[in-house]
Amino acid sequence: MSDDSRSPLSVHTTLGLGGPARHLTTVTSVDEIVSGVRECVRDEQPLLLLGGGSNVVVADDGFPGTVLLIRSQGWDVKPDDAHVSVTVQAGHEWDEFVLAMTEQGFSGVECLSGIPGAVGATPIQNVGAYGQEVSETITAVTVYDRDEGGIRTFRNDECLFEYRHSRFKRAERWVVLDVTFRLRVDPLSGPIAYPELARRLGVGQGDRVPLAAARQAVLELRRGKGMVLDPDDPDTRSAGSFFTNPLVSGGYPPQAPSWPMPNGVVKVSAAWLIENAGFHKGYRRGLAAISSKHTLSLTNPAHGTTKDLLELGREIRDGVLDRFGITLHPEVVLVNCTL
Ligand SMILES: Cc1cc2nc3c(=O)[nH]c(=O)nc-3n(C[C@H](O)[C@H](O)[C@H](O)COP(=O)(O)OP(=O)(O)OC[C@H]3O[C@@H](n4cnc5c(N)ncnc54)[C@H](O)[C@@H]3O)c2cc1C
């Protein structure tokens, strides 16, 4: 465990925003994570867990408690018929894991290439992109239960995965220690489901391609949208998509791209709603801006403040509500601040 309490949290978030924490500790093993959490519970300290800081908006005032930076590393592979079961430590960098799996011929996470952050955060909001979601390959999530004070494992069906949601999202109780994925031993990707990805690969929807080709095409598409971290590209100083695509059961504009979901609800494109409410790529408010490449991504290109970013977020949310009567909800986790 190491104590690094003097640095502001902006150093540990991809937005480059956030004031200091009262205590900031780096933990590098399950034992260190558990004893760090137990100390906070004992001292009744507010606790914030951070992986890569790529899905959080932290207040300019920082965090009035302890931040644990989760940096446990490594994974363990077990053969499982024509599959492998891979248990990965929560602090391992997600894309390093994805790269290794595609290189070793393990299929199932290749379309999730290039997503920033750590493995332990991927079940939290059921990370997804380009037609894949981690809920399709996760078989188990091992957590420390802050309420009961013990370790337990949730099977996939107990994780309550939904679109960008699970039982772990915004629930302080669970601390993810490791995640187990079941991947196919196969040099080919799963069926390519996402039309834009199929076009980029020059294949039909439902076709399969070599894992390296799928990864490469996803990375190219993501780079074009500023969705791969790049210190030279201010559009990537973001937390990814700021809002989720709203799930509506009533009216929505018929021209908006939409996708039917279970239980009769429809998922509507938040990017379309935002653009058609008058907020275009590159739109600025104060020092915050909509990415010049991706409408859903709110960025901090000019070293502004969380206040700037939240004001932009509020303006967009209120503009969409006024124009279409649909409320956008943040995908990002707001820490010590509100929209
Ligand atoms: C450029 C860019 C592109 C992105 N693209 C995508 C995308 O395509 N698809 C997508 O789904 N997301 C995307 N994201 C969002 C983000 O990368 C993912 O949500 C990622 O999984 C967050 O990981 P993290 O380690 O950075 O989480 P953090 O931001 O550190 O934490 C996120 C939340 O999880 C909690 N948390 C973190 N670790 C643990 C743990 N071990 N146990 C319990 N709680 C924990 C935190 O307290 C916080 O509430 C993108 C972000 C950026 C900046």
Side-chain angles (χ1 to χ4, degrees):
M1 263 198 236
S2 65
D3 193 332
D4 185 21
S5 298
R6 270 165 304 182
S7 58
L9 293 174
S10 57
V11 175
H12 302 289
T13 64
T14 54
L15 271 164
L17 293 174
R22 194 173 295 149
H23 300 291
L24 176 65
T25 303
T26 302
V27 283
T28 59
S29 67
V30 166
D31 286 350
E32 286 190 0
I33 298 172
V34 170
S35 62
V37 174
R38 278 195 177 132
E39 250 175 61
C40 285
V41 173
R42 187 197 61 209
D43 300 345
E44 296 180 4
Q45 278 282 317
L47 169 65
L48 172 66
L49 306 162
L50 270 191
S54 65
N55 205 28
V56 288
V57 177
V58 181
D60 293 315
D61 288 346
F63 184 70
T66 295
V67 173
L68 291 185
L69 278 182
I70 301 197
R71 295 291 181 265
S72 46
Q73 299 291 301
W75 60 76
D76 181 35
V77 181
K78 287 200 182 76
D80 177 5
D81 293 329
H83 292 76
V84 284
S85 250
V86 191
T87 299
V88 198
Q89 295 303 306
H92 207 103
E93 192 191 323
W94 169 253
D95 196 47
E96 199 179 292
F97 165 66
V98 174
L99 171 64
M101 295 304 105
T102 54
E103 284 181 347
Q104 289 174 39
F106 301 151
S107 177
V109 288
E110 57 285 348
C111 294
L112 302 174
S113 294
I115 298 180
V119 168
T122 59
I124 308 281
Q125 69 152 357
N126 184 16
V127 158
Y130 295 99
Q132 264 176 1
E133 288 185 335
V134 288
S135 59
E136 295 159 25
T137 44
I138 286 179
T139 52
V141 178
T142 303
V143 297
Y144 178 74
D145 179 345
R146 286 171 64 180
D147 289 359
E148 301 285 334
I151 291 179
R152 64 175 286 187
T153 298
F154 287 106
R155 292 188 318 263
N156 178 297
D157 60 322
E158 297 170 318
C159 293
L160 312 182
F161 287 124
E162 288 175 35
Y163 162 67
R164 293 303 160 274
H165 202 71
S166 75
R167 75 178 313 143
F168 311 114
K169 185 136 184 181
R170 299 193 173 91
E172 301 213 322
R173 179 168 179 185
W174 314 112
V175 180
V176 176
L177 301 175
D178 65 47
V179 186
T180 302
F181 297 84
R182 188 165 187 261
L183 305 174
R184 242 181 19 263
V185 180
D186 191 335
L188 296 182
S189 70
I192 299 294
Y194 203 78
E196 187 189 19
L197 179 58
R199 279 197 298 279
R200 167 65 61 131
L201 285 159
V203 300
Q205 256 176 286
D207 288 348
R208 301 166 73 212
V209 299
L211 292 174
R215 175 173 167 84
Q216 186 57 31
V218 166
L219 289 176
E220 285 167 16
L221 286 172
R222 293 185 69 91
R223 251 181 232 116
K225 296 176 188 173
M227 292 302 267
V228 178
L229 292 183
D230 175 355
D232 296 328
D233 181 357
D235 275 332
T236 75
R237 212 167 301 135
S238 80
S241 299
F242 191 88
F243 296 106
T244 49
N245 291 317
L247 299 172
V248 300
S249 46
Y252 62 93
Q255 321 86 294
S258 61
W259 304 269
M261 301 292 283
N263 305 325
V265 294
V266 175
K267 186 168 78 176
V268 181
S269 164
W272 189 96
L273 295 170
I274 292 170
E275 272 168 19
N276 286 277
F279 303 102
H280 300 291
K281 292 186 182 109
Y283 179 89
R284 273 180 176 258
R285 180 180 174 127
L287 294 175
I290 296 178
S291 159
S292 69
K293 305 184 187 76
H294 186 41
T295 315
L296 261 188
S297 179
L298 305 195
T299 66
N300 169 33
H303 304 286
T305 61
T306 302
K307 183 168 171 285
D308 294 318
L309 191 88
L310 292 174
E311 279 172 2
L312 175 63
R314 280 180 208 121
E315 187 185 354
I316 293 171
R317 179 199 58 193
D318 295 347
V320 168
L321 184 62
D322 283 352
R323 176 80 180 76
F324 298 110
I326 294 175
T327 303
L328 295 180
H329 297 285
E331 178 179 315
V332 292
V333 176
L334 300 167
V335 176
N336 199 23
C337 56
T338 51
L339 194 60

